[in-house]
Amino acid sequence: QVQLMESGGGSVQAGGSLGLSCAHSGYTSGDVCMAWFRQTPGKEREGVAGIRTQGITTFFYYLDSVRGRFTISHDNEKKTMNLQMTTLKPEDSAVYYCAAHQSTTDCAAHWDVPRRVTYWGQGTQVTVSS
């Protein structure tokens, strides 16, 4: 059982920055396949950024619209996944969810597939005003 605890988020003006963190516990190995999703009312939850750790190697995945503005990272010692968001736009406003996949294999293929997520965080609001 993987448990997730999100923190961060809030409100910022367009062009500003915000950070999100997700502390996790319960992965049986040191490797993780995790992601940040976001959702706005009436829309499907979409994967924003994903990360897979495999020993000393880390793989990063990004939604095209956030690539270059968002940075996902993982602190293996603190068991925390982070998302640094810069140059925020009003369309980035959403509830952001931390997500963890039980399986780390094929992470590249399913990191952003909501039905493949095993565990979800409680969600945190990000609001970007114009």
Side-chain angles (χ1 to χ4, degrees), residues 7 19 29 37 45-46 56 58 67 79 103 109 120 130:
S7 60
S29 73
F37 284 73
R45 202 168 288 190
E46 68 173 355
I56 61 172
T58 304
R67 191 184 304 274
K79 295 185 178 180
S103 172
W120 292 100
S130 57

Side-chain angles (χ1 to χ4, degrees), residues 6-10 19-21 36 94-98 121-126:
E6 299 175 21
S7 60
L20 303 177
S21 292
W36 289 98
V95 177
Y96 282 70
Y97 295 90
C98 172
Q122 77 277 12
T124 185
Q125 179 70 45
V126 170

Side-chain angles (χ1 to χ4, degrees), residues 1 14 19 21 25 27 31-32 35-36 46 49 52 71-72 74 76 89-91 116-117 123 128:
Q1 180 87 10
S21 292
S25 62
Y27 268 106
D31 297 338
V32 304
W36 289 98
E46 68 173 355
R52 178 194 178 189
T71 303
I72 191 170
H74 184 263
N76 293 337
K89 305 175 181 180
E91 52 263 42
R116 297 291 300 272
V117 172
V128 185

Side-chain angles (χ1 to χ4, degrees), residues 1-4 22-35 51-53 74-76 79-81 98-105 107 110-111 116-120:
Q1 180 87 10
V2 175
Q3 294 182 327
L4 306 172
C22 177
H24 64 86
S25 62
Y27 268 106
T28 55
S29 73
D31 297 338
V32 304
C33 174
M34 299 182 68
I51 190 166
R52 178 194 178 189
T53 63
H74 184 263
D75 187 320
N76 293 337
K79 295 185 178 180
T80 302
M81 177 180 67
C98 172
H101 297 266
Q102 183 68 54
S103 172
T104 59
T105 58
C107 188
H110 69 252
W111 69 270
R116 297 291 300 272
V117 172
T118 314
Y119 305 102
W120 292 100

